[in-house]
Amino acid sequence: MTESKPATPTARLGIYKQLDAVPESLRLGSYADRYDGTDIWSTWADQATATHTSQRYTTHVDRTARTWKQHMADRGRHHALARPLDIETWAETILDRCQPLSAYQIYFTKLEAFYEWLRYHPDHVHCYNPVLMAAAQHDAVATIWAAKIARREC
């Protein structure tokens, strides 16, 4: 029997449960100069899509990239350096276009995977996942998270 992941985003967060608890020197925004002019999403997407044979998956990765990168550009931040509130405002726009389950399947899984990849990649300084923080603290992302848990795709 395999052990499943905890159902709550808070239980998955690790030591930092909210952005205010993260020391200023470890917050993603502290590394803006390091990421300026780099397309980290494409690096992740190349690796992620290489392991999937589905064109649908690649299409969803590309759709997520377009909406996410534009959202972060509009907010004046690099797409790899989100705050939980950035995730929430993006989720609100996604939920204006589709149902929570579709938002989860098309967009949320890709953004969550991107930030988990960053968190564990040795070339990146990410020590927390702002997607999980947003799911624990904000309504729109919590709605999408609930759709995720209802599907039991944890």
Side-chain angles (χ1 to χ4, degrees):
M1 178 180 198
T2 61
E3 192 173 317
S4 64
K5 293 181 181 178
T8 67
T10 304
R12 295 183 189 193
L13 273 168
I15 191 168
Y16 302 117
K17 305 295 185 199
Q18 46 190 308
L19 189 58
D20 291 346
V22 179
E24 192 68 38
S25 63
L26 296 178
R27 292 185 190 180
L28 299 181
S30 300
Y31 301 98
D33 291 346
R34 179 186 284 190
Y35 288 89
D36 191 35
T38 61
D39 186 0
I40 304 303
W41 181 279
S42 291
T43 303
W44 168 79
D46 289 346
Q47 292 177 20
T49 57
T51 61
H52 288 82
T53 58
S54 165
Q55 181 58 42
R56 180 181 224 174
Y57 182 84
T58 300
T59 299
H60 290 176
V61 168
D62 293 344
R63 184 179 300 167
T64 303
R66 279 191 309 276
T67 63
W68 178 245
K69 287 179 180 181
Q70 185 61 56
H71 179 73
M72 290 300 286
D74 291 347
R75 295 177 73 81
R77 271 190 288 294
H78 188 277
H79 59 269
L81 306 177
R83 297 175 185 158
L85 189 56
D86 297 324
I87 311 286
E88 174 67 5
T89 55
W90 177 73
E92 289 169 349
T93 64
I94 299 301
L95 288 174
D96 285 344
R97 290 185 279 200
C98 58
Q99 295 296 313
L101 183 57
S102 294
Y104 163 65
Q105 292 173 324
I106 296 170
Y107 300 96
F108 190 81
T109 57
K110 286 36 167 208
L111 191 64
E112 184 181 13
F114 171 65
Y115 275 98
E116 281 299 295
W117 177 80
L118 286 169
R119 191 167 143 199
Y120 292 104
H121 196 287
D123 293 340
H124 300 284
V125 294
H126 291 57
C127 64
Y128 61 93
N129 185 329
V131 176
L132 295 176
M133 285 181 176
Q137 299 168 10
H138 297 291
D139 293 340
V141 183
T143 298
I144 297 169
W145 185 269
K148 169 185 176 137
I149 296 305
R151 287 268 312 183
R152 300 274 186 221
E153 292 184 9
C154 302

